[in-house]
Amino acid sequence: QVQLVESGGGLVQAGGSLRLSCAASISIFSFNAMAWYRQAPGKQRELVATITSGDGTNYADSVKGRFTISRDNAKNTVYLQMNSLKPEDTAVYYCRGTTTRLYWGQGTQVTVSL
């Protein structure tokens, strides 16, 4: 069974930083792409960042210049470094991996206070 487990969320003040981790139970080489999504209360889940098998990256306009997605293949882990956090970044952040199927983690809560 493929599992993705997010960690690293928490409460942080505006302007602070967090690094989220997504640990996979299989080699992340198995995934064509991996991504971070987020969902704020009462809002639609939105794509935050993606990283492809060729290490190409894409970011939502709202996080460009502040967030960085990366992977560590040896640790089967994808990261999301979040800097200059804003209250509007508050959401549950989800990791998604794509093979011939879609796999989702359970999410990790990020709360940014004023």
Side-chain angles (χ1 to χ4, degrees), residues 9-60:
L11 176 64
V12 64
Q13 291 186 339
S17 298
L18 286 172
R19 187 178 72 165
L20 306 184
S21 298
C22 172
S25 63
I26 61 173
S27 171
I28 58 174
F29 287 130
S30 299
F31 298 101
N32 297 319
M34 301 197 75
W36 287 96
Y37 285 74
R38 67 186 181 187
Q39 187 167 23
K43 304 296 182 181
Q44 182 179 351
R45 187 172 298 187
E46 64 175 338
L47 179 63
V48 176
T50 60
I51 186 164
T52 68
S53 60
D55 284 334
T57 58
N58 291 100
Y59 299 92

Side-chain angles (χ1 to χ4, degrees), residues 29-96:
F29 287 130
S30 299
F31 298 101
N32 297 319
M34 301 197 75
W36 287 96
Y37 285 74
R38 67 186 181 187
Q39 187 167 23
K43 304 296 182 181
Q44 182 179 351
R45 187 172 298 187
E46 64 175 338
L47 179 63
V48 176
T50 60
I51 186 164
T52 68
S53 60
D55 284 334
T57 58
N58 291 100
Y59 299 92
D61 288 341
S62 59
V63 307
K64 285 181 179 177
R66 300 189 298 121
F67 290 11
T68 303
I69 187 171
S70 62
R71 59 160 60 104
D72 186 334
N73 295 327
K75 296 182 178 180
N76 292 335
T77 300
V78 174
Y79 302 98
L80 185 68
Q81 178 67 46
M82 305 184 295
N83 298 325
S84 301
L85 283 162
K86 304 174 180 179
E88 52 262 45
D89 295 319
T90 295
V92 177
Y93 284 71
Y94 297 91
C95 180
R96 190 191 75 178

